[in-house]
Amino acid sequence: MDAVNIQERTLGVNFDKQKQANVVLWAPEVKQVSITLPDKNLNIPLDKGESGYWTLTTDSIKPGDLYFFNLDNKKQFPDPVSLSQPDGVHEASQALDIKSFNWTDQNWKNIVLKDFITYEIHTGTFTEKGTFAGIEEKLDYLVDLGITAIEIMPVSQFPGDRNWGYDGVFPFCVQNSYGGAAGLQHLVDQCHKKGLAVILDVVYNHIGPEGNHLENFAPYFTEKYHTPWGDAINFDDAWCDGVRQFYTENVLMWFRDFHIDALRMDAVHAIKDFSPVHILQEIKQQVDILEQQTGRRHYLIVELDLNDPRFINPLEKGGYGMDAQWIDEFHHALRVSSGQERTGYYSDFDGIASLAKAYKDAYVYDGAYSDHRKKKFGMKATENTGQQFVVFSQNHDHVGNRMLGERTSELVSWEMQKLMAGAVFVSPYLPMLFMGEEYSETNRFQYFVSHTDPELAEAVRKGRKKEFEAFHIEGEAPDPMAKETFNNSKLQWELIEKEPHKTMLGYYKKLIAVRKQQSALNVLNRKELTVEFNADQGTIVIYRQYKVQDIICFMNFSKTTQKISTPVYAPVWHKLLASSDKQWGGPQDLPESVTGELLLTLQPESFTIFTNQYE
Amino acid sequence: MDAVNIQERTLGVNFDKQKQANVVLWAPEVKQVSITLPDKNLNIPLDKGESGYWTLTTDSIKPGDLYFFNLDNKKQFPDPVSLSQPDGVHEASQALDIKSFNWTDQNWKNIVLKDFITYEIHTGTFTEKGTFAGIEEKLDYLVDLGITAIEIMPVSQFPGDRNWGYDGVFPFCVQNSYGGAAGLQHLVDQCHKKGLAVILDVVYNHIGPEGNHLENFAPYFTEKYHTPWGDAINFDDAWCDGVRQFYTENVLMWFRDFHIDALRMDAVHAIKDFSPVHILQEIKQQVDILEQQTGRRHYLIVELDLNDPRFINPLEKGGYGMDAQWIDEFHHALRVSSGQERTGYYSDFDGIASLAKAYKDAYVYDGAYSDHRKKKFGMKATENTGQQFVVFSQNHDHVGNRMLGERTSELVSWEMQKLMAGAVFVSPYLPMLFMGEEYSETNRFQYFVSHTDPELAEAVRKGRKKEFEAFHIEGEAPDPMAKETFNNSKLQWELIEKEPHKTMLGYYKKLIAVRKQQSALNVLNRKELTVEFNADQGTIVIYRQYKVQDIICFMNFSKTTQKISTPVYAPVWHKLLASSDKQWGGPQDLPESVTGELLLTLQPESFTIFTNQYE
């Protein structure tokens, strides 16, 4: 039971080719274990094996059966590695044969990392249905938009049916109200059919506050470290081997049994592990082995608030081997450039200059003193390529963690929305959209939960209030527990046929197309990128180059027109896109082409790209 | 104030060439600071500078003056970087000009690391005087013994005058009752005159429980991590830069102003730091710069309970750059081999086989499951050389943390004492003795403190009791607070003239001389070492080689004679040392030389070395 079996799931209830159930439970400090099938009136003891693993092979359990584990004949709990919780987090687990899904994606090859253009989806609010089936209905739309990957916010079973997903308590179980394991498998299969990769958001830094039964089975948590969400997951204390196997198996399951193309691991800075081999390194090693088996590339992307390239450096250089990481600092710099008040974590960013640094160095803080953090922060990521960084102008956090959950569509002008989108797509990084931003969705995306524990619900309300105080925001937040808060966060698909949303959608399509077509934009080489900025003017100029193609991009974040010139000469400069053109609802068309030097009058809050050569 | 000044102390009260006092205090969240000189009836405000540093230059403070810092006109505290606390931890600091010491060691070159043969000293109990001056009187004895370095247990000011040193609360201040800063400087100067290096034990993982005023000045601690001694030192949380500077300056001060040759850093596994640059890496970087200035090598040695070679790997390989580490596992394996009951942390070690592994691989646990720790532990230290590991058959911890503080002299037979010493010196690692072991001191080394806080004293008593319960030891521990406990732990120097102590001293001298003279023993190349063991016989054979010299060492841990042969042929095998010879109080002489194959009858509990060539 020591080594992780990458060929198939070893933990939980699994069915072999003879359809026998193999039951494995890790409960090292428990004296007696049995599995109870309430509907069959059965209770079968498990045998204690090595390292605290209990096992059973039986014909009595069939796919679809409900079961509990019975510990020391005292209490029964659902399975820590349950694949299905048809009646929610407090009730019985359900045995599933996830290997029985009929995949049709045999010819699917994963997209190469540099080509990921990601679209972040919250399943529950993306469509009226709020399910994986709902997402499937929008796949053609997404393909038409030009994105290449969808990223699904966490789907592990959470309490109730309204949650962002970060309160999940069954890491192996797909939320029943979304469509469960089979629903997710079907969605992934459909995505692959349409050429879309699927990124799944997973949470390995904490377990949600309601319905967490893990501690009854084993020391999944340690008091050695504290996280914002309580005791840390036990990755290096006594009994950590079983916890490490739990999460390593989880990674392998998504790739192997759900054909997920990449994981986005939530807040890995809150994974505290002083082992000689960090859990992320162990995960990477296992995934490397799995890839040889599947013949597919499986990417590991992390949310990281440390500005520490060790996480994304290769294993052979002592790194953790992660393929890419989110850079929130790009977002913060962009938001401040677009007028966001410098409160809370935005206080560290001065707009244009920070954004220019992010374009070139990825990390804005790479050793400098951060006044918000009260310490020197980060180090240089000199050796890392552009495809190792994911950028965005908004995401679920930066929208939903605002007290009122306003999207940029509500916060900035029409012109600025287009400029912000351009700023993301001209970066040498992997762009990500938050669902609905492409047509300027007006509904807010708010924080919602459906806890059943009233004390917890109250604690959530209070906790959020405290968070907003850091931003000096007053007023009343929407009630996270209210069903309207959830419903009000749903996308309004009817908007895409209406102006001005239709125009914004057209603009995004064009922007994505330009990014994909122009080599100088999609070869993510930071070394051939030059940035100039003028903080007084509020302008940034970006030069990108690939072979004989030059691309020059102008951004004017100010509220006035700005005259700008570049000393770069070309026989003809062709306009690739100008956000201020009338077709995008802007005030005035820029010329289609310019000869010689580029001398332009930029409209307020505008984004413009020229090239010396079409591709 | 950002970069550490390696040229001289920047923090605290320091005197420049014009004998003006430069005062620097880090107190980032305090609104007003002044320095108060009670004897001069003076109170002078400091100016607030960058990053929370307060400064003052004045003629009014002279070396010898007593002072406090006055925070927000509310409370006064001694200086966090005080160099002298003449009246103890709760009273005024005293300004010192530590640069005024007249050094005579200009020609001293540090010993190369591989030649360190270390002697661990607790200043208070080493001599009747219990001071640095007391140590000086024994230096000729130590030189004659053959050791090359003394290691002084922590000397930072602690409450009262009886303490192991790990309760120090003024990291920059040398314990007044030991002789203070000038006393330590004089001792180091004398050591260098006699060719001895000085290692100082320093504690960077916690601050003692009584007399800790640091928190009044700045956030020196963080709640993010827990250590066995409470909240961890803040090396990576808000305001950590000042804490990092505090400790980095401390390292530099010992090397630069006290001419210390090496630091032994206590329990660095309890230093919790997730910064991109670990504090140990930062220390190493600073020491590298200092070395270029002093022209001397300054070694960094760590106590480490992680079996993680990252700590001792070079900076350029992503390591922390520490020169060497203690390996307690060698000790544990040796103690179990010599009959120690397998309780507590000894339970993981099976004696002979563990010891054989430690000889070859340094770490006994390098990835295997540890039943005591309940997890897989450690990783291979393949790339690290023998001089990176410090070994011993006992030290202050493993003696003093026994309930009764028994040395091996009390626990094992006369013959076994000699075998254990041999086992240490034949290793390819750096040997260390604990004061008195070389003449089989019979006094125990017990745990003693002189806290003035009665609640704390009671907590210490209780804490130790709990610790012993883990070892299933019953009975009454000596009272740590009692002065007799301290006095009973002093060495009895009169013993060295008496038998059998005189014989043991002779044996140790011979053993050390053999180690120093034989190249095959003092070239610390693990790759040319071979170990064979027979767990049934209780024997280990070690082969070491250098150029044309072969050395074979036989250890018989059993209580019966063992016939042993090796297939290695030489025209003549010369006996270098046999612990069972009559001159060392043993039962029977082994032959001085053997021709052809080595066929020997080993006496019970004996240690024997033969070579094919004298050096």
Side-chain angles (χ1 to χ4, degrees):
Chain A
M1 207 31 83
D2 245 6
V4 172
N5 182 350
I6 59 158
Q7 305 274 355
E8 51 187 293
R9 249 171 64 105
T10 56
L11 300 172
V13 177
N14 296 292
F15 296 93
D16 59 22
K17 282 180 186 159
Q18 291 74 40
K19 299 291 173 194
Q20 279 210 318
N22 293 308
V23 184
V24 176
L25 177 75
W26 181 58
E29 295 176 302
V30 167
K31 300 277 174 278
Q32 264 194 309
V33 173
S34 61
I35 187 165
T36 299
L37 286 78
D39 296 343
K40 293 187 171 177
N41 205 15
L42 270 176
N43 185 40
I44 318 171
L46 273 66
D47 295 322
K48 185 158 196 179
E50 295 271 299
S51 307
Y53 288 90
W54 299 77
T55 58
L56 167 71
T57 299
T58 177
D59 283 322
S60 304
I61 306 175
K62 301 292 175 199
D65 282 354
L66 298 177
Y67 67 98
F68 287 105
F69 284 114
N70 211 314
L71 304 184
D72 287 335
N73 284 323
K74 278 186 208 147
K75 269 198 158 178
Q76 55 183 32
F77 301 101
D79 186 355
V81 299
S82 168
L83 292 168
S84 174
Q85 293 293 126
D87 304 310
V89 299
H90 298 293
E91 301 302 326
S93 301
Q94 182 180 42
L96 290 188
D97 184 9
I98 52 168
K99 285 180 292 186
S100 65
F101 184 79
N102 288 317
W103 290 96
T104 67
D105 68 348
Q106 286 74 13
N107 296 323
W108 167 252
K109 295 276 172 216
N110 199 352
I111 293 167
V112 294
L113 185 57
K114 82 162 186 63
D115 290 336
F116 270 63
I117 296 175
T118 303
Y119 187 91
E120 191 187 26
I121 290 175
H122 177 261
T123 305
T125 54
F126 183 54
T127 62
E128 196 50 44
K129 283 184 180 163
T131 59
F132 300 129
I135 299 176
E136 285 186 19
E137 292 170 9
K138 299 295 179 191
L139 294 183
D140 287 336
Y141 165 86
L142 295 172
V143 169
D144 188 46
L145 173 58
I147 65 114
T148 61
I150 61 168
E151 175 163 324
I152 306 171
M153 285 171 65
V155 299
S156 292
Q157 189 78 31
F158 51 75
D161 53 7
R162 305 185 308 276
N163 197 287
W164 283 13
Y166 303 96
D167 295 322
V169 285
F170 288 90
F172 291 79
C173 174
V174 181
Q175 175 71 13
N176 60 334
S177 60
Y178 286 173
L184 180 59
Q185 288 173 318
H186 196 270
L187 169 61
V188 175
D189 199 49
Q190 290 302 303
C191 284
H192 288 174
K193 187 177 279 178
K194 294 178 191 294
L196 293 171
V198 181
I199 307 170
L200 183 67
D201 193 348
V202 290
V203 184
Y204 295 158
N205 53 51
H206 75 287
I207 290 284
E210 180 180 346
N212 168 15
H213 309 290
L214 293 180
E215 255 178 333
N216 299 296
F217 291 91
Y220 281 88
F221 304 93
T222 173
E223 291 178 6
K224 276 167 77 177
Y225 316 119
H226 280 258
T227 76
W229 313 285
D231 284 346
I233 305 275
N234 172 19
F235 287 112
D236 68 4
D237 209 350
W239 297 112
C240 65
D241 296 345
V243 182
R244 295 171 73 97
Q245 171 161 7
F246 180 85
Y247 283 103
T248 311
E249 281 220 359
N250 189 261
V251 169
L252 296 176
M253 181 187 76
W254 296 122
F255 289 143
R256 185 192 52 225
D257 301 324
F258 287 83
H259 294 200
I260 293 291
D261 297 292
L263 294 181
R264 178 268 189 190
M265 296 190 238
D266 183 59
V268 296
H269 46 273
I271 293 176
K272 303 294 183 190
D273 183 6
F274 275 101
S275 309
V277 178
H278 191 280
I279 183 66
L280 293 179
Q281 289 175 313
E282 191 172 330
I283 285 171
K284 172 62 174 167
Q285 289 165 356
Q286 295 291 331
V287 170
D288 280 349
I289 298 170
L290 182 73
E291 284 181 343
Q292 296 186 358
Q293 220 179 81
T294 63
R296 287 178 179 165
R297 250 324 243 121
H298 302 298
Y299 299 108
L300 297 166
I301 302 169
V302 294
E303 185 196 19
L304 178 65
D305 184 34
L306 286 177
N307 288 12
D308 183 352
R310 186 192 312 162
F311 284 75
I312 52 171
N313 284 340
L315 294 180
E316 55 274 19
K317 286 190 178 172
Y320 296 171
M322 300 293 101
D323 293 291
Q325 68 158 106
W326 282 24
I327 38 172
D328 273 26
E329 290 193 328
F330 179 93
H331 165 269
H332 300 343
L334 176 58
R335 292 294 282 262
V336 172
S337 299
S338 71
Q340 163 69 41
E341 207 187 331
R342 293 176 62 185
T343 52
Y345 52 66
Y346 290 113
S347 63
D348 265 349
F349 299 86
D350 68 359
I352 300 292
S354 298
L355 184 57
K357 182 156 174 57
Y359 275 119
K360 191 66 193 166
D361 300 328
Y363 300 153
V364 175
Y365 283 84
D366 53 9
Y369 180 79
S370 150
D371 194 55
H372 176 64
R373 299 175 192 269
K374 302 293 178 205
K375 61 178 180 178
K376 280 180 276 183
F377 185 64
M379 68 186 293
K380 290 194 190 304
T382 321
E383 298 303 314
N384 305 97
T385 61
Q387 70 174 26
Q388 296 199 276
F389 302 100
V390 177
V391 294
F392 35 81
S393 69
Q394 55 198 311
N395 67 24
H396 71 273
D397 261 333
H398 302 299
V399 174
N401 282 333
R402 299 183 71 87
M403 188 175 74
L404 300 175
E406 308 98 315
R407 296 163 171 273
T408 55
S409 62
E410 187 173 344
L411 296 168
V412 305
S413 71
W414 172 257
E415 296 300 323
M416 183 60 87
Q417 289 177 58
K418 290 181 286 177
L419 167 53
M420 290 173 78
V424 167
F425 277 88
V426 81
S427 78
Y429 307 124
L430 303 180
M432 188 177 80
L433 309 184
F434 181 56
M435 58 177 200
E437 90 170 63
E438 74 278 12
Y439 64 84
S440 196
E441 169 64 58
T442 53
N443 262 359
R444 293 166 175 180
F445 182 72
Q446 299 182 322
Y447 185 75
F448 44 80
V449 294
S450 47
H451 295 310
T452 57
D453 176 347
E455 275 183 42
L456 177 63
E458 190 52 34
V460 168
R461 283 190 190 104
K462 280 191 182 152
R464 286 189 64 77
K465 191 157 184 227
K466 198 175 162 193
E467 217 170 281
F468 300 126
E469 284 166 7
F471 286 82
H472 310 293
I473 296 170
E474 286 168 23
E476 206 58 45
D479 180 0
M481 285 291 293
K483 192 152 188 189
E484 308 86 76
T485 307
F486 171 77
N487 284 334
N488 292 342
S489 298
K490 290 203 177 222
L491 298 192
Q492 305 168 84
W493 284 101
E494 63 278 15
L495 294 183
I496 63 173
E497 300 299 335
K498 297 179 187 164
E499 288 300 350
H501 307 283
K502 196 172 171 180
T503 294
M504 186 62 87
L505 183 57
Y507 174 78
Y508 265 80
K509 280 186 195 171
K510 175 71 180 173
L511 189 59
I512 294 172
V514 167
R515 162 88 178 200
K516 289 163 95 167
Q517 283 158 10
Q518 307 301 323
S519 299
L521 288 180
N522 66 42
V523 174
L524 304 183
N525 183 352
R526 286 195 291 155
K527 283 174 187 143
E528 301 206 356
L529 177 147
T530 308
V531 192
E532 289 170 4
F533 70 95
N534 183 324
D536 296 333
Q537 276 194 329
T539 54
I540 297 186
V541 185
I542 291 183
Y543 303 80
R544 297 192 59 186
Q545 197 176 22
Y546 181 70
K547 294 183 180 169
V548 297
Q549 188 188 27
D550 286 294
I551 279 187
I552 302 186
C553 165
F554 301 96
M555 292 179 260
N556 176 13
F557 285 92
S558 77
K559 292 194 187 303
T560 54
T561 58
Q562 299 290 347
K563 280 200 167 28
I564 201 157
S565 69
T566 80
V568 186
Y569 176 89
V572 188
W573 288 103
H574 306 279
K575 181 174 70 175
L576 287 169
L577 181 71
S579 68
S580 51
D581 281 1
K582 288 182 179 164
Q583 66 168 315
W584 310 126
Q588 195 176 335
D589 283 353
L590 275 181
E592 288 303 306
S593 63
V594 178
T595 57
E597 279 178 51
L598 267 170
L599 279 158
L600 294 171
T601 298
L602 303 177
Q603 293 298 316
E605 304 182 335
S606 68
F607 171 84
T608 309
I609 314 186
F610 279 81
T611 183
N612 63 348
Q613 180 148 343
Y614 283 118
E615 291 253 329
Chain B
M1 206 32 81
D2 244 9
V4 172
N5 181 350
I6 60 158
Q7 304 273 355
E8 50 186 290
R9 251 172 62 106
T10 55
L11 300 173
V13 178
N14 296 291
F15 297 94
D16 60 22
K17 282 179 184 156
Q18 290 73 43
K19 299 290 171 194
Q20 277 210 321
N22 293 308
V23 184
V24 176
L25 176 75
W26 181 58
E29 294 176 303
V30 167
K31 300 277 173 280
Q32 264 195 310
V33 173
S34 61
I35 187 166
T36 299
L37 286 79
D39 296 344
K40 292 186 170 175
N41 206 16
L42 271 176
N43 185 39
I44 318 171
L46 274 65
D47 295 322
K48 184 157 197 179
E50 295 272 298
S51 307
Y53 288 91
W54 298 77
T55 59
L56 167 70
T57 300
T58 177
D59 283 322
S60 304
I61 306 175
K62 302 293 178 198
D65 282 354
L66 298 177
Y67 68 98
F68 287 104
F69 284 115
N70 210 313
L71 304 185
D72 287 334
N73 285 324
K74 278 187 208 147
K75 270 199 158 176
Q76 54 185 31
F77 301 100
D79 186 354
V81 299
S82 168
L83 292 167
S84 174
Q85 291 295 126
D87 304 310
V89 298
H90 298 292
E91 301 301 326
S93 301
Q94 182 181 43
L96 290 188
D97 184 8
I98 53 168
K99 284 180 292 187
S100 66
F101 184 80
N102 289 316
W103 290 97
T104 68
D105 68 349
Q106 285 75 13
N107 295 323
W108 167 254
K109 296 276 172 216
N110 199 353
I111 294 167
V112 294
L113 185 58
K114 83 163 186 64
D115 290 336
F116 271 63
I117 296 176
T118 303
Y119 187 91
E120 191 188 26
I121 289 174
H122 176 261
T123 304
T125 53
F126 183 55
T127 63
E128 196 49 44
K129 283 182 180 163
T131 62
F132 298 129
I135 299 176
E136 286 186 18
E137 293 171 8
K138 299 296 179 190
L139 294 182
D140 288 337
Y141 165 86
L142 294 172
V143 169
D144 188 45
L145 172 59
I147 65 114
T148 61
I150 61 168
E151 175 164 323
I152 306 171
M153 285 169 66
V155 300
S156 292
Q157 190 78 31
F158 50 76
D161 52 7
R162 305 185 307 277
N163 198 286
W164 283 13
Y166 302 96
D167 295 322
V169 286
F170 288 90
F172 291 79
C173 174
V174 181
Q175 174 71 12
N176 61 334
S177 60
Y178 286 172
L184 180 60
Q185 288 174 317
H186 196 271
L187 169 61
V188 175
D189 199 48
Q190 290 301 304
C191 284
H192 287 174
K193 186 177 279 177
K194 294 178 191 295
L196 293 172
V198 181
I199 307 169
L200 183 67
D201 193 348
V202 291
V203 184
Y204 294 158
N205 53 51
H206 75 286
I207 290 284
E210 180 179 345
N212 168 15
H213 309 289
L214 294 180
E215 255 178 332
N216 299 297
F217 290 91
Y220 281 88
F221 304 93
T222 173
E223 292 178 6
K224 277 167 75 177
Y225 315 119
H226 280 258
T227 76
W229 314 283
D231 283 349
I233 305 276
N234 171 19
F235 287 112
D236 68 3
D237 209 350
W239 297 111
C240 66
D241 297 346
V243 183
R244 294 171 74 97
Q245 172 162 7
F246 180 86
Y247 283 103
T248 311
E249 281 221 359
N250 189 262
V251 169
L252 296 174
M253 181 187 77
W254 296 122
F255 289 142
R256 184 190 53 223
D257 301 324
F258 288 83
H259 294 200
I260 293 291
D261 297 292
L263 294 181
R264 179 268 189 191
M265 296 191 235
D266 184 60
V268 296
H269 46 273
I271 293 175
K272 302 294 183 193
D273 182 5
F274 273 103
S275 308
V277 179
H278 191 279
I279 184 66
L280 293 179
Q281 289 176 314
E282 190 171 331
I283 286 171
K284 172 63 175 168
Q285 289 165 356
Q286 295 291 331
V287 169
D288 281 348
I289 298 169
L290 182 73
E291 283 181 343
Q292 296 186 357
Q293 219 178 80
T294 63
R296 287 178 180 164
R297 246 329 239 118
H298 303 296
Y299 299 109
L300 298 165
I301 302 169
V302 294
E303 184 196 20
L304 177 65
D305 184 34
L306 286 178
N307 288 11
D308 183 353
R310 186 193 312 161
F311 285 76
I312 53 171
N313 284 340
L315 294 180
E316 55 274 21
K317 287 190 179 173
Y320 295 172
M322 300 293 101
D323 293 291
Q325 68 158 106
W326 283 23
I327 38 170
D328 273 27
E329 290 192 326
F330 178 93
H331 164 270
H332 300 343
L334 176 57
R335 291 295 281 266
V336 171
S337 298
S338 70
Q340 163 70 42
E341 207 189 332
R342 293 176 61 183
T343 52
Y345 52 66
Y346 291 113
S347 64
D348 265 349
F349 299 87
D350 67 0
I352 301 292
S354 299
L355 184 57
K357 181 155 173 59
Y359 275 118
K360 192 66 193 167
D361 300 328
Y363 300 153
V364 175
Y365 282 84
D366 53 7
Y369 180 79
S370 149
D371 194 55
H372 176 64
R373 300 176 192 268
K374 302 291 178 208
K375 62 178 179 176
K376 280 181 274 181
F377 185 63
M379 68 187 293
K380 290 194 189 303
T382 321
E383 298 303 312
N384 306 97
T385 61
Q387 69 175 26
Q388 295 199 277
F389 302 99
V390 177
V391 293
F392 35 80
S393 68
Q394 56 197 308
N395 67 24
H396 70 274
D397 261 332
H398 302 299
V399 174
N401 281 334
R402 300 183 70 88
M403 187 174 72
L404 301 174
E406 309 98 315
R407 296 162 171 274
T408 54
S409 62
E410 189 174 343
L411 296 168
V412 305
S413 71
W414 172 258
E415 296 301 322
M416 184 60 88
Q417 288 176 58
K418 290 180 287 177
L419 167 53
M420 289 172 79
V424 168
F425 277 88
V426 81
S427 78
Y429 308 123
L430 304 179
M432 187 177 81
L433 310 183
F434 181 57
M435 60 177 198
E437 90 168 64
E438 74 279 12
Y439 64 83
S440 195
E441 169 65 56
T442 53
N443 263 357
R444 294 166 173 177
F445 182 73
Q446 299 182 323
Y447 186 75
F448 44 78
V449 295
S450 48
H451 295 310
T452 58
D453 177 346
E455 273 182 43
L456 178 62
E458 190 52 34
V460 168
R461 282 189 192 104
K462 280 193 184 152
R464 286 188 67 76
K465 190 151 184 235
K466 198 176 162 193
E467 215 168 282
F468 300 126
E469 285 166 4
F471 286 81
H472 310 293
I473 296 170
E474 288 169 19
E476 205 56 45
D479 180 1
M481 285 290 294
K483 192 154 188 188
E484 308 88 73
T485 307
F486 171 76
N487 285 333
N488 293 342
S489 298
K490 291 203 174 221
L491 297 192
Q492 306 169 84
W493 284 100
E494 61 279 14
L495 293 184
I496 63 170
E497 300 299 334
K498 296 178 187 164
E499 290 299 351
H501 306 284
K502 196 173 172 180
T503 294
M504 186 63 85
L505 183 57
Y507 173 79
Y508 265 83
K509 279 187 194 171
K510 175 70 181 175
L511 189 59
I512 293 173
V514 167
R515 161 89 178 200
K516 288 163 93 167
Q517 283 158 11
Q518 307 301 323
S519 300
L521 288 180
N522 66 43
V523 174
L524 304 185
N525 182 351
R526 286 195 290 155
K527 281 173 189 145
E528 303 207 353
L529 177 145
T530 308
V531 193
E532 289 169 4
F533 70 96
N534 182 324
D536 295 332
Q537 274 195 330
T539 55
I540 296 185
V541 185
I542 290 182
Y543 304 80
R544 298 193 58 187
Q545 195 176 22
Y546 181 68
K547 293 183 180 169
V548 296
Q549 188 188 29
D550 287 294
I551 278 186
I552 302 186
C553 165
F554 302 94
M555 292 181 259
N556 175 14
F557 285 92
S558 76
K559 290 193 188 306
T560 54
T561 57
Q562 299 291 347
K563 281 199 169 28
I564 201 157
S565 68
T566 80
V568 185
Y569 177 89
V572 189
W573 288 103
H574 307 279
K575 180 174 72 176
L576 288 169
L577 182 72
S579 68
S580 52
D581 281 1
K582 288 181 179 166
Q583 66 167 313
W584 310 126
Q588 194 176 336
D589 282 355
L590 274 181
E592 288 303 306
S593 64
V594 177
T595 57
E597 280 178 50
L598 267 171
L599 279 158
L600 292 171
T601 298
L602 304 176
Q603 293 297 316
E605 303 182 336
S606 68
F607 172 82
T608 309
I609 313 187
F610 279 82
T611 181
N612 63 347
Q613 180 150 343
Y614 283 118
E615 290 253 327

